[in-house]
Amino acid sequence: MDEYFLQFLWKFQKFESKELILSNGSSLTVFQTGHQNHHSGPDFLEAKIKIDDLTWSGSVEIHYKSSDWNRHKHQTDRAYENVILHVVWINDGDILVNEEPLPTLEMSQYVATNLEQEYRRYINQPEVIRCGPKLGDIPQIQISAMIDRAVASRLQEKSVRVLDTLEQLGGDWEETVYQTLARNFGFKTNAEAFLKLASSLPYHVIRKHAGKEQQIYALIFGMAGFLEDPVDEYQASLSAEFSYLAKKFQLHRMLDRHHWKHAKMRPANFPSVRLSQFAAFLTQENQLLANLLNISGRKEAVGFLQKSLPDYWNSHFDFGKPTTKSPRIGTKSIENIIINSLAPVLGAYSKYLDEVIYLERAQHILEQLPPESNHVIQKWIDRGVTPGNGAETQGLIYQYQSFCTPKKCLRCNIGMFILNPPK
């Protein structure tokens, strides 16, 4: 029996119509169940009940067994001092608060068996998107509301990661933007290697060489471990430049070439190509935060990220390995960086300043992107939910990962609509 179901029973008072009696024999009348708390602390806040002839206002805590109170260490948490009622499925012993028994309702005595069975059948379906077969019967306004909330939550989730990085870097926004972008330039395969590169090569060193292509490429490829044993004149010139700069700035390389993953990659995704694209970006952008904050639409975001490559990297996918196709960063890659770096930074900055304008701008940019295509989105499409833009695909990914997969149907308005249909 999961606590989501128990909270659902309490919230909507899914009890048989008979008098509620507490474990100590007192009668219970519920005036207000309280508003559900999705953060730390009691499950419902500001409830109002009457026990016998005395009216109480305070918090309600829900558990499967009453002994879970002590198992969760609520007895030592002051956040639970205002609990006026303990609602459990099984009462396996009194809980003492300030040496007095905590009023306890054993709800299993008041819930119809078929209600529990119906919930179990629904939640234990093999289908991950459990509402899938019924989505065609759900009003569009409910589906739109689900997506809108999920879009906001997805952006907030990614923004929190940016703020965590900001805190770790002592409030340095330029370094935070630099490291956030670096990680994303590595995409999934080489994200950690790119982050290690950025962590070992501070952005203030890069900024000292703003606009100086040779120096920035030498720093990026040198710190990435790509300048050992040069195979051509260009690589040798970068290697010599890096030797000088590494000594000047006392840089300590943390990466070697073997740390970068190449397996099963097309040349366009090779780490050498991504490093050249990142170096081109850093050569031509020297005020990351200010320029990012001025982005208000997709076109500006693409212009911010898509930089021209030097002649060598227009004709090579690695040192000494020529190509006839320029490895310029592609549209899909840019959209990925917008989704995973630019929009989250705007969202984080909005939260940092408590200014909604940057959050609105982030969402507007996402809405201008085409919908993403992946196996999660295809599952939604197969069930009749077709996203219209990048913001909506981000929302559907969040919904799938945060609600569908962990079976949190009773935290989702669609699941609630199905399991607690309007009368």
Side-chain angles (χ1 to χ4, degrees):
M1 180 72 66
D2 66 67
E3 289 190 5
Y4 297 126
F5 180 59
L6 303 182
Q7 291 167 10
F8 165 76
L9 296 175
W10 171 256
K11 183 176 183 177
F12 294 101
Q13 293 291 283
K14 294 289 188 178
F15 304 142
E16 294 178 325
S17 48
K18 59 182 180 181
E19 184 182 9
L20 299 176
I21 304 297
L22 301 181
S23 58
N24 64 359
S26 297
S27 66
L28 171 68
T29 303
V30 180
F31 297 125
Q32 296 172 8
T33 60
H35 60 265
Q36 196 163 3
N37 175 29
H38 297 300
H39 305 288
S40 60
D43 294 311
F44 289 85
L45 308 175
E46 299 179 2
K48 187 176 180 181
I49 62 175
K50 186 168 76 171
I51 298 176
D52 290 334
D53 296 323
L54 191 61
T55 299
W56 296 79
S57 295
S59 304
V60 174
E61 178 66 3
I62 314 289
H63 284 127
Y64 175 55
K65 292 182 179 180
S66 54
S67 57
D68 289 340
W69 178 279
N70 292 328
R71 190 167 63 85
H72 295 167
K73 298 187 174 13
H74 294 336
Q75 71 275 19
T76 59
D77 190 338
R78 297 193 65 181
Y80 292 83
E81 289 180 354
N82 195 37
V83 171
I84 57 174
L85 181 66
H86 196 198
V87 180
V88 302
W89 188 254
I90 296 173
N91 182 22
D92 60 347
D94 289 339
I95 297 300
L96 298 180
V97 176
N98 296 325
E99 300 183 357
E100 293 289 333
L102 182 64
T104 302
L105 174 68
E106 189 175 41
M107 71 168 77
S108 57
Q109 301 178 37
Y110 303 98
V111 177
T113 304
N114 66 320
L115 188 61
E116 180 191 354
Q117 291 173 342
E118 181 183 343
Y119 171 72
R120 287 185 181 278
R121 275 197 302 272
Y122 182 83
I123 208 72
N124 289 325
Q125 296 177 73
E127 170 70 59
V128 177
I129 303 177
R130 290 161 190 81
C131 59
K134 297 187 177 182
L135 278 174
D137 301 325
I138 303 296
Q140 184 57 45
I141 191 170
Q142 292 286 347
I143 296 174
S144 296
M146 174 196 75
I147 295 174
D148 288 345
R149 279 197 290 270
V151 169
S153 296
R154 178 73 161 179
L155 189 52
Q156 181 181 14
E157 179 185 64
K158 291 187 174 184
S159 298
V160 166
R161 294 175 194 164
V162 175
L163 291 172
D164 287 344
T165 301
L166 179 70
E167 184 177 359
Q168 292 165 16
L169 295 172
D172 188 333
W173 269 105
E174 290 290 342
E175 193 72 29
T176 298
V177 176
Y178 168 62
Q179 290 199 13
T180 300
L181 285 166
R183 193 178 195 284
N184 205 176
F185 263 88
F187 297 87
K188 216 175 252 187
T189 309
N190 282 302
E192 293 309 312
F194 256 93
L195 183 58
K196 188 173 285 189
L197 166 65
S199 300
S200 62
L201 177 58
Y203 183 58
H204 70 83
V205 174
I206 294 289
R207 289 189 75 173
K208 287 180 183 294
H209 302 88
K212 298 177 180 177
E213 179 186 291
Q214 180 81 356
Q215 285 88 344
I216 290 180
Y217 271 80
L219 286 166
I220 292 295
F221 278 101
M223 292 299 285
F226 275 69
L227 298 180
E228 302 295 308
D229 303 319
V231 296
D232 60 20
E233 185 178 337
Y234 175 70
Q235 189 181 17
S237 68
L238 292 186
S239 181
E241 186 72 40
F242 175 67
S243 295
Y244 166 74
L245 293 172
K247 289 176 183 176
K248 179 179 179 180
F249 294 104
Q250 297 183 320
L251 299 174
H252 302 286
R253 182 160 58 88
M254 300 168 60
L255 294 161
D256 290 306
R257 185 157 185 145
H258 67 81
H259 289 120
W260 299 84
K261 298 174 184 175
H262 295 75
K264 298 180 181 178
M265 276 189 186
R266 293 179 299 169
N269 296 321
F270 277 10
S272 50
V273 171
R274 296 303 185 197
L275 287 165
S276 71
Q277 293 164 351
F278 188 50
F281 170 75
L282 294 173
T283 301
Q284 297 165 63
E285 288 287 346
N286 63 356
Q287 292 186 335
L288 296 183
L289 180 64
N291 291 341
L292 193 156
L293 293 178
N294 284 327
I295 295 171
S296 59
R298 178 185 181 277
K299 185 177 180 180
E300 291 167 318
V302 171
F304 176 70
L305 293 166
Q306 194 171 60
K307 305 301 183 186
S308 57
L309 295 170
D311 290 341
Y312 184 89
W313 290 107
N314 265 321
S315 58
H316 289 76
F317 63 85
D318 203 344
F319 291 108
K321 295 181 179 178
T323 179
T324 56
K325 185 177 181 181
S326 172
R328 189 184 186 195
I329 189 167
T331 302
K332 290 295 181 186
S333 296
I334 286 177
E335 289 168 357
N336 182 290
I337 296 172
I338 292 172
I339 288 169
N340 293 302
S341 291
L342 267 59
V345 168
L346 287 170
Y349 200 71
S350 187
K351 190 174 181 66
Y352 178 77
L353 292 183
D354 196 22
E355 288 279 355
V356 72
I357 182 173
Y358 294 109
L359 181 63
E360 291 175 343
R361 195 175 293 174
Q363 188 153 338
H364 175 65
I365 293 169
L366 291 176
E367 288 169 353
Q368 292 183 320
L369 298 179
E372 299 166 83
S373 178
N374 55 51
H375 75 283
V376 171
I377 297 305
Q378 190 58 51
K379 287 178 184 292
W380 286 108
I381 293 172
D382 291 344
R383 287 148 189 81
V385 179
T386 303
N389 55 56
E392 291 184 359
T393 51
Q394 281 291 291
L396 290 173
I397 290 168
Y398 179 86
Q399 193 71 19
Y400 184 87
Q401 293 175 345
S402 301
F403 290 87
C404 302
T405 301
K407 301 183 178 182
K408 292 184 180 179
C409 298
L410 290 174
R411 295 285 180 93
C412 167
N413 65 300
I414 301 296
M416 291 290 287
F417 188 89
I418 292 170
L419 292 165
N420 187 44
K423 296 180 181 178

